[in-house]
Amino acid sequence: MKNLLDLTGKKALVTGGSRGIGNRLARALHEAGAEVVIFYNHTCPDGLAQEMQGDGTAVHAVQCDVADRSSLERGVKAAADRLGGRIDILINAAGINRRYWLEDFPTKDWDEVMNINVNGAVYCTQLVGKYMLAQGYGKVINLASMNSFVSGKRVGAYVASKDAIAQITKAFANEWGDRGVRVNAIAPGYIRTDMTKALQDDPASYQGILDRIPEGRWGTPDDLVGPVLLLVSDAADYVNGIVMPIDGGYLAR
Ligand code: NAP
């Protein structure tokens, strides 16, 4: 039987590919056979792309600030050029969080969260979508969150951005579904990355979250690999516009 999860010959772009979830997912696409471009903003260790590539198909690193429309235009063009003019898979994993009480939330930080988490994903999808719609094929994965479903304290901008991501995922799916481009989101639970380091390092927060996870442990980027490979593969061609929790049962509590 054909391996439905095989990505040999596919061309992929992953924003936020330098660290954390984006980096793990970029590695997974590459391990499944895709040629991959990773976008980074500030940090991309020397030789990262080379190390990810190993003996497999090419991995390219491109600097791109997803909050800056002109940087995105240059970055997507550079990515498409490296990938031979085709982009089959886009993972919008770039994201940030800023923690303030809402009554004091600085405008600058609110705007940064919205520009990176929402506008960055929307404009990147728009620009990459030009290639996908012309090809009549594409798979887009957005990074939603538990905070697309439940809110919290001192995360007002983040929860607003992740609710927006859930809705824009469905909006793109509505408009592009009959043109061969599927747009879905994953909603990870609490995952061990730099983004959640402060929560991991605070014993009360760490334990409070752990107590609510039926699986009995925090997640790691590895936990997201299987569902994402499924969603970007031909096995999930009839899956469109979903926001898939991958949370160890957190939402079932
Ligand atoms: P992370 O470890 O902090 O990594 C963030 C990534 O985003 C880095 O690669 C960073 O690039 C990139 N980035 C930030 N600002 C950027 C910009 N302006 N332009 C381009 N790239 C930018 O975070 P993570 O935990 O992997 O999170 C990845 C995504 O998953 C985010 O959208 C996050 O909201 C979502 N998510 C995370 C969790 C969790 O528990 N960790 C749960 C649900 C959803 P540089 O390295 O260059 O700075």
Side-chain angles (χ1 to χ4, degrees):
M1 184 188 163
K2 185 184 162 207
N3 177 2
L4 284 171
L5 304 188
D6 182 23
L7 300 180
T8 303
K10 296 283 198 255
K11 314 280 186 172
L13 169 59
V14 182
T15 77
S18 53
R19 290 188 284 127
I21 291 171
N23 185 259
R24 182 64 192 93
L25 295 180
R27 288 174 189 271
L29 299 183
H30 182 255
E31 284 155 17
E35 183 175 352
V36 178
V37 171
I38 57 169
F39 275 178
Y40 64 96
N41 189 25
H42 295 117
T43 56
C44 189
D46 285 347
L48 177 66
Q50 202 68 32
E51 179 258 312
M52 289 170 69
Q53 178 172 317
D55 296 330
T57 52
V59 175
H60 317 268
V62 171
Q63 195 284 328
C64 175
D65 178 357
V66 302
D68 176 339
R69 175 81 194 201
S70 58
S71 178
L72 258 180
E73 285 171 3
R74 279 195 304 277
V76 170
K77 168 85 172 59
D81 288 347
R82 305 269 178 100
L83 296 172
R86 188 178 174 90
I87 306 177
D88 300 297
I89 297 166
L90 168 65
I91 299 185
N92 284 307
I96 62 167
N97 192 3
R98 295 276 186 269
R99 294 179 183 279
Y100 295 99
W101 297 105
L102 275 169
E103 64 261 39
D104 296 323
F105 216 110
T107 310
K108 178 177 165 295
D109 293 273
W110 181 277
D111 289 346
E112 264 179 31
V113 171
M114 291 301 170
N115 283 333
I116 294 171
N117 292 11
V118 183
N119 298 354
V122 171
Y123 295 147
C124 193
T125 304
Q126 222 179 30
L127 291 165
V128 172
K130 301 258 191 288
Y131 295 86
M132 293 179 163
L133 293 169
Q135 294 158 190
Y137 178 90
K139 300 270 190 174
V140 179
I141 304 292
N142 289 324
L143 265 293
S145 164
M146 284 302 90
N147 291 131
S148 305
F149 305 103
V150 298
S151 196
K153 294 179 181 174
R154 301 186 73 236
V155 286
Y158 187 79
V159 300
S161 77
K162 292 302 172 181
D163 216 352
I165 282 297
Q167 282 299 333
I168 202 71
T169 297
K170 297 176 204 172
F172 272 116
N174 269 276
E175 295 191 15
W176 290 358
D178 62 353
R179 298 158 80 185
V181 182
R182 289 98 188 180
V183 184
N184 293 293
I186 57 167
Y190 286 86
I191 307 294
R192 293 177 183 276
T193 65
D194 294 344
M195 183 179 279
T196 55
K197 186 150 190 337
L199 292 175
Q200 295 173 54
D201 290 348
D202 174 42
S205 301
Y206 179 85
Q207 192 60 42
I209 289 165
L210 186 62
D211 288 344
R212 205 191 138 155
I213 305 173
E215 199 67 21
R217 65 173 177 85
W218 276 53
T220 71
D222 285 344
D223 290 311
L224 310 177
V225 166
V228 167
L229 285 182
L230 174 69
L231 288 174
V232 301
S233 75
D234 295 343
D237 276 352
Y238 203 56
V239 179
N240 198 13
I242 66 162
V243 180
M244 179 196 274
I246 310 168
D247 63 352
Y250 184 92
L251 284 180
R253 199 72 161 194

